Amino acid sequence: MKASGVGRKTLIDEAYVVYYEKSLVNPEAITARGIYTVRDYRGDYRAVETLFETKAMYLFEPGNCVMYERPWLYYSESLGMWSRDEWRSLKSISSLSNSVMAHKPCFCSYNSIRAAVQGTPFQYSTWEQYKGGDMVKFFDLAAKYPCVEYLTKLGMRGVVEAKLNGGRTYSVVNWRARTPLKVLKMSKHEMNELRTADVSVDPWMLHLRYLAKKEGSNLSIADIARISREIPESYQNYLNVALGWTNLGKLDAYFIKQLANPDTHRLDTKGYLLSTWNDYIKDCIRLGLDISNESVKFPKNLHRAHQNTIKQIKLKVDAELTAKITQRCKSLKRMQFEAHGFVIRPAVSSKELIDEGKALQHCVGTYADRYAKGETDIFVLRRLDEPDKPFYTVEIRAGNIVQCRGLRNCVPTEDVKSFIELFVSKKLLTKKRTRVGIAV
């Protein structure tokens, strides 16, 4: 109790233990029990009992698995170990160590597994290579799919673990098949090549092999294994996009050349190049370039080519934005107004907005897109004797002045306020003194 740092009044030990045995009915089957156990020190510590009840029962036999659970089993100081005498059959095998018992210390007797599987088909299931947790998910998998044994022995533990842990397997394995060739959907030649290559095999690697075979790329198993490491599964979406424009073999050869290019950053990876190349191709399409031309699709220097398309896209966007703003400026020209040494007029271009923001140190430059779309109206207020020098910027929305800001977002001076009030009365109010909505 001293070591635990817990007083005896609150000290209680709980655990969940999974224990395996041979079936007494079927010599080819094994069973497992999940046992909930408690030692409560809060009463008379000289008479502490070890209480235990079975929480879950499992049956594993070739082709069939069954699980029963007691959902209403718990311990309380007043009632002791209590449960409804009710067992519930579950549709699928689940590990209580990872669910309702996860907050308690959980143990599995591997010695009991070793004794239980002797003389059964599970003896050769390679369960020792998957030790971890209570093992019920493994025996569920091994009972349904005997191919688990030879997949593991062929060095494909990664495939089994993906299935075991609910990961993606890309339909690269026919789990119900009875021979290795049919399980892996391979020819004898491909299987021999896989064994000779001595590579780590997982679903992602087998998926890339399937893609390469489908497109007719002349990639060896060793090449595919290398690519699966260099372009990991996390880049799958990027790869799917890229393979809409080329094939895996060409892409790999191109990236090898790019990584040898002096302009390629030494920390760049094939995953990064994949993302960059996708962006470059999208830019080419947007610019109307012919990506069926190999020299366009695979530029000698991807970094420079991408920087060039970025600049061209920016110029195109700026040109489109400026054209829209020019049209807006024409429609708002009627709102231009002069009085008392000031003039207010609509902004004429995105460049003017950017320059305005820089000069006055505020963020009007970011309003260009909204201004072009007609979501808001941006006017610039100048002194008549300095018509090209930024002074105040005015935002108008639905006939209302939303804000008027000068240098570093300062508010209008009294003379500017007077001018703004006059502008409102002359341009933003109708004869009925209602606001004019000027956004278009």
Side-chain angles (χ1 to χ4, degrees):
M1 287 189 287
K2 288 182 180 179
S4 68
V6 179
R8 186 168 59 80
K9 290 183 179 181
T10 59
L11 185 60
I12 178 172
D13 282 335
E14 298 176 279
Y16 179 68
V17 181
V18 178
Y19 190 86
Y20 287 77
E21 295 175 296
K22 291 180 181 294
S23 168
L24 298 177
V25 178
N26 183 352
E28 291 193 335
I30 62 174
T31 64
R33 285 182 293 157
I35 302 167
Y36 173 43
T37 181
V38 177
R39 283 179 63 83
D40 190 344
Y41 302 92
R42 294 174 294 184
D44 185 354
Y45 67 91
R46 290 165 295 189
V48 176
E49 293 183 84
T50 301
L51 305 177
F52 55 88
E53 289 285 349
T54 300
K55 172 73 174 170
M57 294 190 297
Y58 301 88
L59 170 66
F60 305 103
E61 56 187 356
N64 182 51
C65 298
V66 180
M67 176 183 177
Y68 290 92
E69 181 196 6
R70 293 167 82 179
W72 305 104
L73 173 64
Y74 65 89
Y75 177 81
S76 73
E77 188 174 7
S78 58
L79 298 175
M81 192 75 83
W82 183 91
S83 74
R84 291 180 187 174
D85 196 13
E86 173 188 335
W87 287 89
R88 180 179 64 181
S89 174
L90 275 68
K91 292 183 179 179
S92 59
I93 301 298
S94 68
S95 169
L96 301 190
S97 299
N98 295 326
S99 57
V100 296
M101 290 294 170
H103 63 290
K104 307 181 191 306
C106 296
F107 305 91
C108 178
S109 171
Y110 297 126
N111 286 334
S112 73
I113 295 178
R114 193 170 288 107
V117 300
Q118 286 295 320
T120 74
F122 298 104
Q123 180 177 351
Y124 308 104
S125 64
T126 64
W127 66 270
E128 301 95 330
Q129 296 196 37
Y130 299 92
K131 281 183 181 179
D134 56 22
M135 298 294 291
V136 297
K137 296 295 287 184
F138 173 80
F139 285 110
D140 177 42
L141 192 68
K144 290 178 180 175
Y145 309 119
C147 64
V148 165
E149 175 190 339
Y150 43 80
L151 284 175
T152 305
K153 290 176 179 177
L154 285 170
M156 300 185 188
R157 178 176 169 177
V159 176
V160 177
E161 286 181 334
K163 183 73 170 176
L164 195 58
N165 298 323
R168 295 196 63 179
T169 57
Y170 301 97
S171 300
V172 294
V173 172
N174 180 0
W175 292 94
R176 298 191 181 279
R178 295 294 177 180
T179 66
L181 294 180
K182 290 183 178 179
V183 167
L184 293 169
K185 307 175 185 178
M186 288 185 179
S187 67
K188 187 177 287 187
H189 171 74
E190 290 170 322
M191 179 63 78
N192 289 335
E193 186 184 3
L194 185 64
R195 285 172 171 166
T196 305
D198 190 26
V199 294
S200 177
V201 179
D202 59 24
W204 177 239
M205 181 264 188
L206 291 177
H207 177 59
L208 294 183
R209 169 197 158 272
Y210 167 77
L211 294 177
K213 184 178 179 181
K214 183 180 178 182
E215 69 191 18
S217 293
N218 189 26
L219 292 169
S220 67
I221 291 291
D223 287 333
I224 293 168
R226 170 183 54 77
I227 294 169
S228 73
R229 295 190 301 270
E230 295 171 343
I231 304 178
E233 190 174 8
S234 56
Y235 284 91
Q236 184 202 356
N237 290 338
Y238 293 97
L239 186 61
N240 288 343
V241 171
L243 294 181
W245 297 311
T246 187
N247 63 51
L248 189 61
K250 284 186 177 180
L251 203 60
D252 178 56
Y254 179 63
F255 287 165
I256 288 173
K257 290 180 180 178
Q258 290 304 305
L259 287 172
N261 195 312
D263 278 356
T264 301
H265 194 278
R266 63 184 180 83
L267 296 179
D268 285 353
T269 63
K270 283 190 179 178
Y272 175 81
L273 288 177
L274 177 62
S275 174
T276 302
W277 187 76
N278 280 349
D279 290 342
Y280 163 74
I281 293 293
K282 289 174 185 176
D283 286 350
C284 288
I285 293 172
R286 191 171 176 183
L287 292 168
L289 302 179
D290 181 12
I291 60 170
S292 65
N293 184 323
E294 292 289 291
S295 63
V296 174
K297 186 185 292 185
F298 299 112
K300 289 183 179 180
N301 190 313
L302 177 60
H303 175 75
R304 288 181 188 171
H306 187 220
Q307 293 303 308
N308 184 39
T309 58
I310 289 173
K311 289 176 183 177
Q312 290 184 60
I313 289 289
K314 187 176 185 308
L315 289 172
K316 183 177 180 180
V317 169
D318 287 349
E320 292 171 351
L321 194 64
T322 297
K324 288 180 180 179
I325 290 177
T326 299
Q327 285 299 113
R328 299 240 46 240
C329 186
K330 287 179 181 178
S331 68
L332 296 172
K333 194 70 175 175
R334 60 190 173 82
M335 305 303 295
Q336 183 166 326
F337 179 69
E338 295 181 14
H340 305 317
F342 297 112
V343 59
I344 186 170
R345 60 171 175 78
V348 298
S349 68
S350 58
K351 183 179 183 303
E352 181 173 51
L353 289 178
I354 292 170
D355 291 343
E356 183 94 353
K358 286 180 179 178
L360 299 181
Q361 299 177 38
H362 57 42
C363 61
V364 73
T366 63
Y367 284 59
D369 190 55
R370 279 172 279 176
Y371 178 38
K373 291 177 180 177
E375 294 173 1
T376 193
D377 301 305
I378 306 297
F379 284 69
V380 294
L381 193 158
R382 304 280 197 258
R383 290 190 177 93
L384 277 173
D385 57 353
E386 294 179 307
D388 297 321
K389 183 178 179 181
F391 186 44
Y392 278 87
T393 314
V394 180
E395 181 185 7
I396 303 173
R397 203 180 305 154
N400 292 291
I401 292 182
V402 178
Q403 55 181 328
C404 177
R405 301 292 179 182
L407 182 63
R408 299 188 186 90
N409 282 311
C410 71
V411 296
T413 57
E414 290 303 318
D415 54 344
V416 171
K417 279 183 183 179
S418 298
F419 171 74
I420 291 293
E421 288 171 359
L422 186 60
F423 166 69
V424 169
S425 66
K426 296 290 186 181
K427 293 294 183 177
L428 299 186
L429 294 178
T430 65
K431 292 181 180 180
K432 295 181 179 180
R433 311 306 288 171
T434 57
R435 295 282 176 178
V436 175
I438 63 171
V440 295

